[in-house]
Amino acid sequence: MTPEELLASNAVAVTFGEKLLGVFSWVMPISVALSTFGGINGYLFTSSRLCFSGAREGHLPYLLAMIHLKNCTPIPALLVCCGATIVILCIGETHNLINYVSFINFLSYGVTIAGLLYYRWKRPNLLRPIKVSVLVPISYLAFWAVLLGFSLYSEPVVCGMGIVIMLTGVPVYFVGVHWKNKPRCVYRVVECVTYVGQKLCFVVFPQEDLSEITPLTSSDKHID
């Protein structure tokens, strides 16, 4: 495909399939649909776990850290993510939302990998169920920095809006987490909402796994 065809096409994959596959071009939109469905399915699993993990760390209401009594699924976190998604879709333009979310996710992934390297350096004895060579996160960060630089250069407005959206969480953090001496009425409201949510969703706070919070001793260390 020429650059002009790429710019003129509303669906590049479909146009590419028509030029390359001929009568079998119908395979391309089906493949794209299956790929999209798989991506959304994985995102539903991971996005709710972000709220779930944040609540377990005390950064979100404890109701979001609770799981179903029998199925062990974080129902409150899933409901909050789905509700927030519906609200955002109703008040925003889809194309801009995709750009903002893509940049925010990409930036978060890089910061997460940088945090992994930091913990590998500062706390090498933490339990790590999955171990990879340190070259893997370093290589990822190198490509991440290059792509992030191109994004900032090509679409500074979109990237700037994404950063602003992320920074809106700073005052929420100081009010909800850093501020310890809140009025009693705030705690009563949180307790009431938590109690009602537990009754409606049939959820409980999960039992902590000691292996996740206890560092390795010298006898538990393994040579990679």
Side-chain angles (χ1 to χ4, degrees):
M1 295 178 64
T2 63
E4 291 76 14
E5 290 175 330
L6 287 173
L7 294 174
S9 176
N10 292 325
V12 176
V14 175
T15 306
F16 177 80
E18 292 174 350
K19 294 177 69 67
L20 181 66
L21 301 177
V23 295
F24 294 100
S25 60
W26 54 269
V27 174
M28 189 61 68
I30 293 178
S31 300
V32 172
L34 292 175
S35 176
T36 303
F37 179 79
I40 293 175
N41 184 55
Y43 187 75
L44 285 175
F45 277 104
T46 56
S47 60
S48 62
R49 266 62 181 183
L50 293 176
C51 295
F52 173 77
S53 299
R56 292 190 67 177
E57 296 294 330
H59 296 164
L60 291 171
Y62 283 113
L63 177 62
L64 302 182
M66 297 184 180
I67 60 176
H68 192 267
L69 187 60
K70 295 182 179 179
N71 299 325
C72 297
T73 52
I75 293 179
L78 280 169
L79 292 177
V80 168
C81 289
C82 291
T85 302
I86 293 173
V87 171
I88 292 174
L89 287 175
C90 292
I91 63 176
E93 201 274 323
T94 305
H95 180 72
N96 290 334
L97 289 174
I98 292 174
N99 290 334
Y100 297 151
V101 171
S102 299
F103 174 77
I104 292 172
N105 283 344
F106 190 63
L107 184 62
S108 300
Y109 296 155
V111 174
T112 302
I113 299 300
L116 183 149
L117 289 174
Y118 176 81
Y119 273 106
R120 178 72 69 90
W121 174 44
K122 287 291 187 179
R123 305 180 68 179
N125 294 331
L126 283 178
L127 178 64
R128 293 178 174 87
I130 301 175
K131 298 181 181 180
V132 297
S133 172
V134 72
L135 293 177
V136 175
I138 291 177
S139 302
Y140 180 92
L141 277 181
F143 286 106
W144 172 82
V146 173
L147 294 176
L148 185 66
F150 279 118
S151 299
L152 291 171
Y153 176 77
S154 60
E155 294 186 332
V157 176
V158 172
C159 296
M161 287 298 298
I163 294 174
V164 170
I165 293 173
M166 293 183 67
L167 292 178
T168 56
V170 174
V172 176
Y173 170 80
F174 279 101
V175 173
V177 180
H178 186 72
W179 183 22
K180 301 298 183 181
N181 299 322
K182 299 182 182 68
R184 289 182 176 271
C185 60
V186 175
Y187 292 106
R188 293 195 191 98
V189 171
V190 173
E191 290 177 1
C192 181
V193 172
T194 302
Y195 177 77
V196 173
Q198 284 186 272
K199 299 287 285 186
L200 292 176
C201 300
F202 202 53
V203 293
V204 294
F205 199 79
Q207 183 179 1
E208 291 187 351
D209 186 357
L210 295 179
S211 64
E212 296 180 357
I213 58 177
T214 304
L216 288 175
T217 61
S218 57
S219 60
D220 297 326
K221 296 179 182 178
H222 300 280
I223 300 176
D224 295 338

